[in-house]
Amino acid sequence: MTDPIEPTAPATASTSAAIVESRTAPRGFTIFVAFAAIGAGAAQMSAALLTLTLKATELDSAAATTIISLSSGIAGAFTLIALPTVGALSDRTRSRLGRRRPYLLAAAAAFALGGLLLITAPAVPVLVLAHLLITTGFVTAGVTTTALVADQLPPDERGPVTAMLSMGTPLGALVGMAVGTPFGDRLVPLVLIPTAIAVVAVLLLAAVIHDPRADRELARLDWRELLAVFWVNPLRFPDFALVFASRLLVFSGVAALNGYQAIFLLRELDLSPAQLGGTILLTVVINAGVTMLTAPAVGRLTDALNVRKPFVLAAAMILGAGLLIASAAPGLGVYLFACGVVGLGQGVYFAVELVLATRVLPDPDNPAKDLGLLKIADNLPVALVAAVAPVLLAIGASGGENFAALFIAGAIAAFAGGSLILFIRGAR
């Protein structure tokens, strides 16, 4: 359950000035942007939590975990490239449709084609392609919606819409799983309904936005600048490097649970495919519900105390404890409790970690690039966990997978990530 994607390539000063002068957000802008974010989250998270597992099991039940690891690893690596690339290209687009609308249309097309391929995939390579297309839609929609907020609203009016964007992915997961639950393990409606929601939501935003064509010419894209999006010198900015590493480790723990819980429920807790959708919906309700209830209260408390580091450490410890409970879960009840504990850890973490990160940015006056780099720490764990999961699952396993080893490794990563925060000197 991760945060929404931040813009990764800020516009030039002249372009930014032009945007400020032409901010004309349409009526209901917040609603349309939030709907697009939730729709994109529904398509992405329903695939990640359920339908990719069902399709992988349909293609090759014995090798399902390997297929999921392969597909998730490729999609995760692709995301790292797509995040800065989409942002940089969108900022420089000069089409008659505007700067952002072409990318909303591209996101809708990617969702639609990815959903159709996921249903019809006759082999693993097509399944991987479907996953890449769905990921393309999610990344493109996320970067574009966030950029639209910066384009069309002044800084003192962005609070409500950015709050909705921050909840787009968990709410999308809830919507995606809720609409599919009545259909059991029937892949067609499980894929088509969240996909349709994403396509309609993104196209509605494309239809209503005021997205005038930027008439200022920009210099040719400097590929060295694009590559620099991926780099901050850790020797010059050690606090930022520690926040990045902490985020990477903590989200590796989350990825270990999210990426493999469907196959864990099928293999370890003996759920049937028909029961899987409803059970995952229940885990999402518990996880997202606890997160959404916790984050605002903790945010207000940390503002009042003006301290962040102890809360980040506590959040990582709670999240890791939830993973340890999941690793030893003898049945569904204990596993659901573990999901609640993980949700509590996420709620505390989301309330304070990004605020802490903004205190140690290398260039506070130009934060978008560095915040975009932090978003790589959110997405890279998907690829890292996919790479190491087959090894962990094979530890001591005879005729099955060692999910306990995977979840324990995730807990250790979360504990280590929280501990790194103690070494930051530039914030409390």
Side-chain angles (χ1 to χ4, degrees), residues 126-141:
V126 183
L127 172 63
V128 173
L129 177 59
H131 195 176
L132 284 175
L133 285 166
I134 294 169
T135 301
T136 299
F138 181 67
V139 168
T140 305

Side-chain angles (χ1 to χ4, degrees), residues 368-396:
K369 177 258 188 186
D370 297 318
L371 288 174
L373 183 59
L374 284 178
K375 297 308 296 179
I376 292 177
D378 297 357
N379 290 277
L380 183 57
V382 175
L384 294 177
V385 170
V388 302
V391 176
L392 294 170
L393 290 168
I395 294 176

Side-chain angles (χ1 to χ4, degrees), residues 13-327:
S14 60
T15 303
S16 297
I19 292 169
V20 170
E21 293 171 2
S22 63
R23 284 186 179 125
T24 52
R27 181 176 297 179
F29 178 72
T30 297
I31 295 173
F32 286 110
V33 169
F35 185 33
I38 292 170
Q44 170 76 0
M45 294 306 294
S46 62
L49 293 172
L50 179 60
T51 53
L52 284 169
T53 295
L54 290 176
K55 187 63 179 184
T57 303
E58 177 185 305
L59 291 175
D60 188 343
S61 177
T65 53
T66 302
I67 295 171
I68 295 167
S69 296
L70 173 67
S71 184
S72 297
I74 293 173
F78 171 77
T79 299
L80 306 184
I81 300 170
L83 277 166
T85 302
V86 171
L89 292 176
S90 179
D91 282 340
R92 288 168 168 77
T93 294
R94 295 295 181 268
S95 78
R96 294 181 179 179
L97 293 174
R99 293 202 306 162
R100 312 302 182 192
R101 187 176 286 109
Y103 295 90
L104 292 174
L105 299 177
F111 278 132
L113 183 55
L116 291 175
L117 286 180
L118 181 56
I119 292 170
T120 60
V124 173
V126 183
L127 172 63
V128 173
L129 177 59
H131 195 176
L132 284 175
L133 285 166
I134 294 169
T135 301
T136 299
F138 181 67
V139 168
T140 305
V143 170
T144 308
T145 51
T146 310
L148 279 169
V149 172
D151 287 351
Q152 305 206 10
L153 294 176
D156 59 354
E157 296 180 13
R158 295 175 188 168
V161 67
T162 54
M164 291 302 300
L165 283 178
S166 70
M167 297 308 299
T169 299
L171 287 177
L174 188 58
V175 169
M177 296 307 305
V179 297
T181 298
F183 299 98
D185 60 346
R186 292 163 56 192
L187 190 64
V188 172
L190 287 174
V191 174
L192 284 186
I193 296 175
T195 299
I197 293 172
V199 171
V200 169
V202 172
L203 289 180
L204 273 176
L205 180 60
V208 303
I209 58 170
H210 302 155
D211 188 25
R213 179 182 178 183
D215 55 6
R216 293 179 183 268
E217 293 297 326
L218 295 177
R220 179 176 294 182
L221 181 64
D222 185 341
W223 290 104
R224 288 175 297 183
E225 286 185 20
L226 184 58
L227 291 175
V229 170
F230 297 97
W231 172 252
V232 166
N233 189 329
L235 298 179
R236 289 185 60 196
F237 305 103
D239 284 351
F240 182 84
L242 286 168
V243 169
F244 182 94
S246 172
R247 199 177 182 95
L248 183 73
L249 288 166
V250 171
F251 277 94
S252 292
V254 176
L257 189 68
N258 285 348
Y260 291 86
Q261 78 165 350
I263 199 73
F264 168 79
L265 292 171
L266 287 173
R267 301 275 179 85
E268 200 74 8
L269 299 188
D270 297 322
L271 267 69
S272 69
Q275 296 173 302
L276 189 58
T279 303
I280 291 181
L281 172 61
L282 185 56
T283 68
V284 171
V285 169
I286 293 171
N287 186 286
V290 173
T291 297
M292 288 186 284
L293 288 173
T294 303
V298 173
R300 287 191 294 270
L301 178 60
T302 60
D303 282 344
L305 298 175
N306 195 29
V307 293
R308 319 290 175 185
K309 287 162 60 174
F311 287 91
V312 175
L313 177 62
M317 298 300 135
I318 294 169
L319 196 153
L323 285 163
L324 290 179
I325 296 170
S327 72

